[in-house]
Amino acid sequence: DGYFPYGVNGVLAGSATVFFAYIGFDTVASTAEEVKNPQRDLPLGIGAALSICCFLYMMVAVVIVGIVPYFAMDPDTPISSAFAKHGMQWAMYVVTSGAVLALCSTLMGSLLPQPRILMAMARDGLLPSFFSDVNKQTQVPVKGTVVAGICAAALAFFMDVSQLAGMVSVGTLLAFTIVAVSILILRYVPPEEVPLSSSQRESMGLNQEYDEEKGRDPLGDEIRDTSQIKDLIVTEPMKDPLLEKKQYKGTMDEMKRRKIAAFSIGSVCLGVLVLTASASATWLPFLPLCIGCIVGGVLLIPGLVVLCWIDQDDGRHSFGHSGGFMCPFVPFLPVVCILINTYLLINLGGDAWLRVGIWLLIGILVYIFYGRTRSSLVDVVYAPVAKADARRSSSGFMS
C-alpha cells in the first residue's frame, strides 16, 4: 500500500534486475577500431545515447504507473495490458509490435560486441585463433559471430527470461565496477612498466635493436645506438652522487605516496563492500546493522578523504596516449560508481550469482589450460611506461 511499498531495497533490487537494459551502450566502445576519431566521438556517442535512452525509460515508467497501479499490471505484458485496461486496443497492438521489433534489434546489438571481444582475446592468445579470423571482404569476424549467435540462441531456448536478465545484469554491473576500480588504480598507482609483446616490439623496432646489441662489441662504433635500447629497458645509474641522492629521496617519497594511495583504494573498496552488505541485510537486528554500516563508513570515508588529499600520479598521462578522454571528478565519480554498483549487485538474487559463478569458473579453466601458456604476454620485455609511450609515438605505433 502507498508509495514505495517494497522500500528502497525493493526499488534497488528491481533496478539491478533490469540493469541489462543499459548493456547496449558498451557496444559503442567495442567498435573503437571502426571509429574515425575515437578519443572524441566515443565519449560523446556513449553520453548522448545514454542520456536519451535513460530519459525515455523514466518517462515510460512514469506514464505506465500513472495509468495502472503496479499491483494491477500484467507482469508479462505490463505496457500493452495498461492500455488495454483503458479500452485502447489499437495502442496495445502498436506496443506489442514495437516490443517484438525491439527484441530483434536488441539481439542484433548484443551480438555485435561479443564476437569482437572474442576476436581481441584470440589476438592476445587467450582463445583459439579461430575467433580472430576476419572476412577479407567485409572485415567482420564472421566465425565468431556465428558461434556467439548459436550460444546465445541455446541459452535463450533453455533458460527463462528472468534468469537470463539476472545473469546479464550481474555481468554488466561487475564489469562497470571493475572499470571504476581500474580508474582509481591508473590515476594513483599506475604500473611503472608495461609489457611489450613480440608483435609490439617488432612494430616499435625493438627486436632488431636488441639482436644487434647482443652481437655488438660494447666498445664498438655503434655504442650510441645500443645505449638507446639499454636506456629503454633498464635505468642507467647516475654518476653524480648529489643527483643520485636527490633522486633517491624523490623515489622514496613517490614510493610512500603510492603505498598510501594503494592502501586508501583498498580501504574504499572494503568499506563499500561492508557498508552495502550491511545496508542490504534488513533481516539483521538493528544494532548489528548499525555497527556494520558504521564500520563500512569508517573504512570508506577516510580512504576517500586521503585520495582527495594526496596527489595523483605524474605518469598517469603517459600511460597510453595523452589527449584522449579522461574520467572527470576523480576520485568522487569512481567511488560513487563503485558504491552504487556494489549495492545493486548485492541486491540481486543468489541464483544469478550462482549461474555467473559457473560461467566465471568455465572462463578460469579455459585460461588455465589454454590461454595461460599461449598468451602473447608469455615472452615479453617490460619497458618503463613513459619511454615506451614515447617510443610508440616516434614509431607511429598505436596500441
Side-chain angles (χ1 to χ4, degrees):
D1 296 334
Y3 196 64
F4 273 109
Y6 296 102
V8 177
N9 285 333
V11 173
L12 292 176
S15 301
T17 304
V18 300
F19 197 82
F20 66 90
Y22 293 93
I23 291 176
F25 300 103
D26 60 354
T27 304
V28 181
S30 64
T31 57
E33 292 186 5
E34 305 167 27
V35 180
K36 292 183 178 180
N37 188 0
Q39 295 178 343
R40 183 198 65 183
D41 296 341
L42 283 181
L44 291 177
I46 294 175
L50 183 61
S51 301
I52 295 173
C53 293
C54 188
F55 177 77
L56 293 176
Y57 290 159
M58 291 188 293
M59 291 300 101
V60 170
V62 169
V63 170
I64 297 304
V65 176
I67 293 176
V68 179
Y70 77 93
F71 52 82
M73 291 183 182
D74 186 355
D76 295 328
T77 57
I79 299 179
S80 59
S81 62
F83 287 105
K85 288 182 181 296
H86 287 267
M88 303 172 64
Q89 299 296 331
W90 61 271
M92 181 184 68
Y93 293 114
V94 171
V95 171
T96 304
S97 302
V100 173
L101 295 176
L103 285 175
C104 296
S105 64
T106 302
L107 290 174
M108 295 297 179
S110 301
L111 287 177
L112 178 64
Q114 189 60 47
R116 287 157 177 79
I117 294 173
L118 297 176
M119 179 181 65
M121 296 177 66
R123 287 176 179 176
D124 293 338
L126 300 177
L127 291 176
S129 59
F130 171 84
F131 294 98
S132 62
D133 293 340
V134 178
N135 187 276
K136 296 181 180 180
Q137 296 180 352
T138 61
Q139 299 297 315
V140 172
V142 177
K143 296 180 180 179
T145 303
V146 172
V147 173
I150 293 174
C151 294
L155 290 175
F157 183 79
F158 291 105
M159 297 184 65
D160 188 70
V161 175
S162 60
Q163 298 173 348
L164 289 174
M167 288 181 60
V168 174
S169 296
V170 169
T172 306
L173 287 168
L174 195 61
F176 289 174
T177 305
I178 293 173
V179 169
V181 175
S182 301
I183 291 173
L184 294 177
I185 294 174
L186 291 179
R187 287 293 185 93
Y188 289 95
V189 284
E192 297 178 349
E193 294 180 338
V194 293
L196 303 178
S197 63
S198 58
S199 60
Q200 291 173 336
R201 292 199 303 269
E202 291 175 359
S203 300
M204 296 169 61
L206 293 182
N207 277 346
Q208 183 178 359
E209 292 183 10
Y210 185 72
D211 295 338
E212 291 177 357
E213 179 195 3
K214 292 171 63 176
R216 288 174 184 163
D217 188 355
L219 301 179
D221 297 333
E222 297 176 335
I223 187 64
R224 182 178 300 178
D225 296 333
T226 59
S227 63
Q228 296 177 358
I229 182 63
K230 291 180 179 179
D231 185 62
L232 178 65
I233 303 302
V234 297
T235 304
E236 295 181 354
M238 302 184 67
K239 298 180 179 180
D240 194 331
L242 297 179
L243 294 178
E244 185 176 4
K245 187 178 295 184
K246 183 177 179 180
Q247 184 189 23
Y248 177 76
K249 181 180 179 180
T251 303
M252 290 298 296
D253 294 340
E254 176 63 16
M255 290 177 59
K256 183 178 180 181
R257 187 203 64 80
R258 291 174 67 91
K259 290 181 179 179
I260 294 175
F263 181 80
S264 300
I265 295 174
S267 176
V268 166
C269 295
L270 182 61
V272 165
L273 183 60
V274 174
L275 178 61
T276 54
S278 302
S280 301
T282 55
W283 48 271
L284 285 176
F286 179 75
L287 184 59
L289 191 146
C290 289
I291 293 176
C293 293
I294 292 173
V295 171
V298 169
L299 293 172
L300 170 61
I301 296 176
L304 179 60
V305 171
V306 172
L307 290 178
C308 297
W309 175 65
I310 64 176
D311 296 328
Q312 298 183 20
D313 194 275
D314 293 333
R316 65 187 185 277
H317 298 294
S318 299
F319 190 83
H321 293 274
S322 60
F325 174 77
M326 297 187 66
C327 177
F329 308 115
V330 176
F332 294 103
L333 186 58
V335 171
V336 172
C337 181
I338 296 170
L339 180 63
I340 296 176
N341 291 345
T342 305
Y343 196 79
L344 293 176
L345 282 168
I346 291 178
N347 280 279
L348 286 170
D351 294 339
W353 275 103
L354 179 61
R355 298 184 187 95
V356 172
I358 295 174
W359 277 109
L360 292 176
L361 179 61
I362 295 174
I364 292 173
L365 294 177
V366 171
Y367 173 75
I368 292 176
F369 293 104
Y370 184 88
R372 186 176 63 89
T373 57
R374 294 173 174 83
S375 174
S376 59
L377 298 180
V378 172
D379 183 19
V380 297
V381 173
Y382 286 85
V385 173
K387 294 183 179 180
D389 186 68
R391 190 66 181 229
R392 290 190 186 101
S393 301
S394 63
S395 62
F397 175 75
M398 295 293 291
S399 61

